[in-house]
Amino acid sequence: AKPVEPLINVQIRHLGGALAEPGGGAGASGAVAEPYLLGLVGLGLPHAADATRAKQAEVVADLEAYISGRKPYTVLSPGDTAAKSFSGSALARLREIKRARDPHNVFRANYPVLG
């Protein structure tokens, strides 16, 4: 019943299917047990950024009982780290691989596993 402004997009996406299947093909994040993904998009322009972040925080607080806090790596947001997407053991394994295979940090990411 609350207005969502200044957000320009609120999405609740259904997950499941192949994402929920455990096993060798589940990737570094493993199976995604969460049934839904919440997406909140707003303008990051200087005059709207603070209000956008405040509204996003309000929506998340309102839904806190239903939100695990886990995020797929491909939907991390500014301020997030790779730790939001990977378990501690998976992150440690990814860090080992990164150090061994890319010691000069040639391959980079917006949310690096080393940090």
Side-chain angles (χ1 to χ4, degrees), residues 20-93:
E21 294 293 324
S29 294
V32 177
E34 292 81 2
Y36 299 99
L37 174 69
L38 174 66
L40 305 168
V41 179
L43 296 177
L45 300 172
H47 68 283
D50 289 340
T52 295
R53 282 190 290 277
K55 181 52 84 169
Q56 288 170 325
E58 179 185 330
V59 171
V60 168
D62 287 348
L63 298 172
E64 186 174 25
Y66 307 100
I67 296 175
S68 71
R70 181 177 179 205
K71 290 185 177 185
Y73 185 76
T74 55
V75 296
L76 292 176
S77 303
D80 288 339
T81 67
K84 279 277 211 190
S85 297
F86 304 109
S87 68
S89 60
L91 192 55
R93 192 177 100 244

